[in-house]
Amino acid sequence: MAERVGGFRLELDHEGIRELLQSPEVESAVRESAERIAAVAGDGFEVGDAYHGDSRVVVSVRAMTREAKVAEATDKTLTLAVQACRA
């Protein structure tokens, strides 16, 4: 759907945006962010494999050890790491 913005007609190329969000370059940037988050969270947190969802690439960071799971449950370690890595 086109929208008028400042006297111009703006029409988004949804397929092009989807292609961009699933590109190798975006996947690399998302992986770098996930690795930074895992490093800030500390031992026991690992980056998972990338997968392509319906509209974008997804990379997860998971608590893999019992200690990491307890740290997230009690201290929100992973949650705080995500917040610390937002730029």
Side-chain angles (χ1 to χ4, degrees), residues 25-41 45-48 57-62 78 80-87:
E25 296 83 4
V26 170
E27 181 177 334
S28 176
V30 171
R31 177 166 296 288
E32 286 175 19
S33 294
E35 289 170 355
R36 197 167 56 247
I37 290 167
V40 169
F45 292 93
E46 295 180 6
V47 176
V57 65
V58 178
V59 179
S60 63
V61 178
R62 298 172 292 182
L78 185 55
L80 293 172
V82 169
Q83 293 172 352
C85 289
R86 287 187 174 154

Side-chain angles (χ1 to χ4, degrees), residues 1-60:
M1 179 149 89
E3 183 177 327
R4 293 234 173 246
V5 178
F8 294 95
R9 182 171 180 258
L10 176 66
E11 188 169 335
L12 298 177
D13 177 0
H14 296 284
E15 190 59 38
I17 293 170
R18 180 178 297 114
E19 187 177 317
L20 173 68
L21 291 175
Q22 292 184 341
S23 70
E25 296 83 4
V26 170
E27 181 177 334
S28 176
V30 171
R31 177 166 296 288
E32 286 175 19
S33 294
E35 289 170 355
R36 197 167 56 247
I37 290 167
V40 169
D43 292 337
F45 292 93
E46 295 180 6
V47 176
D49 291 334
Y51 67 93
H52 293 261
D54 291 336
S55 62
R56 66 194 67 194
V57 65
V58 178
V59 179
S60 63

